Amino acid sequence: MLQNSTISAQSGVIGDCSNDAVSRARWYVVHTQCRAENQAAKQLEKQGYQVFCPRYRRTVRHSRKTKSVLAPLFPNYLFVRLDISRDRWRSINGTRGVVRLLMQGEAPQPVPDDVMNGLRAQTRTDGTFEWTANLKVGGPVRIVNGPFAEFLGTLQSLNAAGRVQVLLNLLGRSVSVALRSECLFPVS
């Protein structure tokens, strides 16, 4: 447990006020139980850990009704920031909703700083992931929502209102489809 710690909302860092303690804190991956990201995040935050779980808006249809929900960008995974030389990280494995920390031998495997900085830079203040930064006209995309979910296409256009035109190959011919930008995921 993190006792006598401070949380800085500006930097998003947990730790002592000394620069040495802050510099040793890294991000680690936590494998959660199926659809238990919220429960695990809440329990880890109660223990004083900083948790990061990027999400995206997804449309769910059930019984002729549609609603928009926040879905995790990485289902069954979230990130936790800790200093393994100081924090009691083994208690994370016993937290409700957590399966285990991803390990490298006997210690947790840190996520490269560049990867975390990129993810956090593309996350809005409400915790949702900003897709449009990675969308390039002419680039390949995967549709994640709607009737064309899991289809691959080519991005034709992107406007300031968040609407996109995607070229899909359906039944042997190219078809242009208008969608919201939140429905797309860039493919590398």
Side-chain angles (χ1 to χ4, degrees), residues 27 29 52-55 73-74 79 111-124 127-131 134 185:
W27 287 98
V29 179
F52 177 62
C53 184
R55 299 175 183 283
L73 185 61
F74 305 107
F79 303 96
V111 179
D113 291 333
D114 293 343
V115 172
M116 287 307 300
N117 292 338
L119 282 173
R120 291 175 56 86
Q122 290 182 258
T123 303
R124 298 181 187 118
T128 57
F129 195 74
E130 175 63 56
W131 297 109
N134 287 334
F185 185 81

Side-chain angles (χ1 to χ4, degrees), residues 148-170:
F148 300 108
E150 301 306 318
F151 276 68
L152 295 175
T154 303
L155 182 63
Q156 284 185 303
S157 68
L158 171 68
N159 69 20
R163 299 292 293 176
V164 295
Q165 289 287 119
V166 177
L167 189 63
L168 298 177
N169 188 2
L170 296 173

Side-chain angles (χ1 to χ4, degrees), residues 21-75:
V22 171
S23 64
R24 289 184 302 190
R26 301 276 313 264
W27 287 98
Y28 298 87
V29 179
V30 176
H31 182 204
T32 65
Q33 294 172 351
C34 187
R35 296 187 178 136
E37 297 89 0
N38 289 338
Q39 179 186 33
K42 189 185 304 182
Q43 295 297 321
L44 289 168
E45 286 171 348
K46 276 185 180 180
Q47 294 177 43
Y49 294 108
Q50 182 184 6
V51 176
F52 177 62
C53 184
R55 299 175 183 283
Y56 69 97
R57 292 222 173 268
R58 181 175 153 200
T59 304
V60 177
R61 290 180 178 82
H62 181 69
S63 300
R64 296 186 203 159
K65 296 180 183 178
T66 61
K67 65 179 179 178
S68 179
V69 298
L70 288 176
L73 185 61
F74 305 107

Side-chain angles (χ1 to χ4, degrees), residues 99-119:
V99 174
R100 63 185 169 85
L101 270 167
L102 294 189
M103 305 288 282
Q104 179 182 20
E106 294 293 318
Q109 170 69 45
V111 179
D113 291 333
D114 293 343
V115 172
M116 287 307 300
N117 292 338
L119 282 173

Side-chain angles (χ1 to χ4, degrees), residues 1-7 13-16 44-50 80-84 86-89 91:
M1 214 175 298
L2 299 176
Q3 297 173 341
N4 300 326
S5 297
T6 58
I7 300 175
V13 175
I14 292 182
D16 299 346
L44 289 168
E45 286 171 348
K46 276 185 180 180
Q47 294 177 43
Y49 294 108
Q50 182 184 6
V80 65
R81 186 170 176 94
L82 54 106
D83 178 354
I84 61 170
R86 184 195 59 188
D87 298 333
R88 296 177 43 141
W89 58 268
S91 66

